[in-house]
Amino acid sequence: MASSAASPALGAMILAAGRGERMRPLSDVTPKPLLEVAGKALIVRQIEALRRAGIIDIVINASHLAPMMVEALGDGSALGVRIQWSIEPTALETAGGIATAYPLLQPGIVLTLSGDICTGYDYAGLIARAARMASDPQAPRVHLVMVPNPPYHLDGDFVLTGERVRLDGSAKLTFGNIALYDTALFSELPRGVKLRLLPLFETWIASGIVTGELYAGPWANVGTPAELDALSAMLLRPAGASAPPASTSKTEPMDTTVTANPLLDFSGLPRFDRIEPSNVAPAVAVLLDAARAAEQAVAADSVSPTWDNVVEALANPLDHLERAWGAVGHLNAVVSTPEMREAYNGNLPRVTAFYTDLGQDLRLFDRYCALRDSPGFAALDAARKKLVANELRDFRLGGAELPEDKKAR
């Protein structure tokens, strides 16, 4: 598939045209993206996150109460960015909104995100991927950020095996409303027409041009006034303060396993002051699931091995597990309360079993051997070659080549 020319810098589009039906009555008088969480509008939080990542050229679509949006944000100069507006007389849904804004978007790869999510995701992490997508016409044209399924969407959207996004299979994840797209995908779509994104996703995924990644850090798609209040209370709670009692409201409370668990926040240094013993088991469950899924996807992959589909495909899930468990181990050694010891000791067997299985996975060892023997290995730099050699050494020391009945469990 042809791609657009590479753009000089990554631009973004914030999707902000929705009516926010579940947020009524608040959204009757204020556009949902302008609603405040802990004293700051949802969309302002997103704009500031983009600016921190060095992404300053932003297109925003607006429909419901659009003049209020434009008046509040203007040209973006007060926030250190440059904003262009795509005004929709009637909301055009996601694909229709992007297609209509196409003339305003820089040619090449664009980052799109919803204006009403609240997340700790670091958008700077997508810049290098966007550059690879822009420079290589054979690279996938879409990249999705996936998140663990929230309580209101337990069935998920798509399956992530390594970096490949698939339509069918078990253990689906939820699309986190953050994505990279080649704008060429929208160039021939009609302007000013309602278009849903799901049918396009289905076509693109079936064509094999969609990759993805799992983000297990703080993420919330704020849908109702109750969820807005709960998120504000969470963000305003002083460090080290205990969580409030569970809600007795008939409204389903917002999931805080994913949105609030500090062990799943990889945006900076560990949040030691916020980590509670109750955070350990949910975080370990999420991270072990992601790591096992990556291991199985890489081990079972039949395509020719490359650095990207072997080493990189495992890197993030394993790094996240190591960082989170390292923080738990540190607190167990330093704080050593009965509750933290119980959380650490209760989850240690699960983590140990995973690393034992990983080190003895003969299929994964064979993939690393095939990578070492592949034509592309010679082009890797010395540091990457050394990393592959070290991995092969560790597999041998772990017993990957031993007969199954000789592998210690």
Side-chain angles (χ1 to χ4, degrees):
M1 175 176 294
S3 66
S4 300
S7 56
L10 181 62
M13 178 171 181
I14 300 179
L15 302 166
R19 173 65 176 79
E21 290 291 342
R22 293 196 304 137
M23 195 59 77
R24 300 180 73 176
L26 299 182
S27 59
D28 288 338
V29 294
T30 304
K32 184 181 175 185
L34 287 182
L35 293 174
E36 293 189 352
V37 170
K40 185 176 293 184
L42 286 164
I43 196 169
V44 170
R45 291 180 177 274
Q46 291 285 46
I47 292 171
E48 290 179 345
L50 290 170
R51 186 193 64 210
R52 287 194 299 271
I55 302 169
I56 61 173
D57 288 304
I58 302 171
V59 173
I60 303 176
N61 69 332
S63 181
H64 174 61
L65 301 176
M68 189 179 295
M69 291 276 291
V70 176
E71 181 180 359
L73 302 175
D75 64 1
S77 57
L79 294 170
V81 298
R82 294 186 289 263
I83 294 176
Q84 296 185 82
W85 292 92
S86 177
I87 304 301
E88 303 169 10
T90 302
L92 302 175
E93 304 223 20
T94 303
I98 298 173
T100 300
Y102 174 80
L104 300 176
L105 301 174
Q106 298 177 6
I109 307 302
V110 64
L111 166 62
T112 69
L113 51 139
S114 292
D116 55 3
I117 60 172
C118 188
T119 180
Y121 186 83
D122 183 1
Y123 297 117
L126 291 172
I127 293 176
R129 181 178 293 274
R132 291 196 298 270
M133 291 170 64
S135 63
D136 181 5
Q138 301 306 313
R141 311 321 300 160
V142 178
H143 182 77
L144 308 181
V145 175
M146 310 295 291
V147 298
N149 298 329
Y152 54 82
H153 194 56
L154 293 175
D155 291 337
D157 296 311
F158 309 119
V159 176
L160 187 61
T161 54
E163 286 198 342
R164 295 185 179 186
V165 175
R166 304 182 188 276
L167 294 170
D168 300 315
S170 58
K172 288 186 175 181
L173 297 167
T174 293
F175 173 44
N177 296 329
I178 303 168
L180 294 172
Y181 301 105
D182 185 343
T183 57
L185 296 170
F186 300 89
S187 63
E188 297 182 6
L189 297 179
R191 316 279 184 252
V193 175
K194 279 190 177 183
L195 292 172
R196 296 174 61 238
L197 191 56
L198 181 58
L200 297 178
F201 273 158
E202 292 172 343
T203 299
W204 297 337
I205 293 171
S207 299
I209 63 169
V210 182
T211 58
E213 63 182 84
L214 172 63
Y215 173 66
W219 180 93
N221 189 347
V222 189
T224 67
E227 291 176 353
L228 196 72
D229 290 342
L231 184 58
S232 289
M234 182 192 75
L235 294 177
L236 291 171
R237 192 163 62 241
S242 59
S247 171
T248 57
S249 167
K250 294 183 180 179
T251 302
E252 181 177 313
M254 184 180 65
D255 175 40
T256 57
T257 300
V258 174
T259 60
N261 195 324
L263 284 169
L264 297 176
D265 182 359
F266 303 105
S267 59
L269 296 174
R271 307 289 182 88
F272 289 115
D273 60 335
R274 292 184 177 270
I275 298 172
E276 302 288 343
S278 60
N279 298 138
V280 177
V284 168
V286 168
L287 295 171
L288 282 178
D289 284 348
R292 286 195 188 97
E295 176 195 0
Q296 293 302 315
V298 173
D301 203 345
S302 59
V303 302
S304 298
T306 65
W307 176 270
D308 286 345
N309 66 25
V310 176
V311 182
E312 285 292 346
L314 289 166
N316 275 347
L318 296 183
D319 177 67
H320 288 171
L321 176 61
E322 181 179 349
R323 290 173 62 184
W325 189 243
V328 175
H330 174 76
L331 288 174
N332 180 60
V334 174
V335 178
S336 194
T337 63
E339 295 81 9
M340 186 58 74
R341 287 197 297 272
E342 181 180 359
Y344 177 82
N345 292 328
N347 287 277
L348 179 60
R350 300 162 64 196
V351 177
T352 302
F354 167 75
Y355 280 115
T356 300
D357 291 342
L358 182 74
Q360 296 182 347
D361 192 328
L362 182 60
R363 302 167 305 156
L364 206 56
F365 173 68
D366 288 341
R367 289 291 286 170
Y368 271 89
C369 288
L371 172 61
R372 177 201 59 196
D373 298 335
S374 68
F377 185 75
L380 297 179
D381 60 34
R384 292 186 175 191
K385 289 178 180 177
K386 178 63 174 173
L387 187 148
V388 172
N390 289 347
E391 291 293 333
L392 290 171
R393 176 203 63 196
D394 292 345
F395 275 116
R396 292 190 177 96
L397 292 174
E401 296 176 295
L402 292 174
E404 286 299 319
D405 60 344
K406 300 295 183 182
K407 292 180 178 179
R409 296 290 177 183

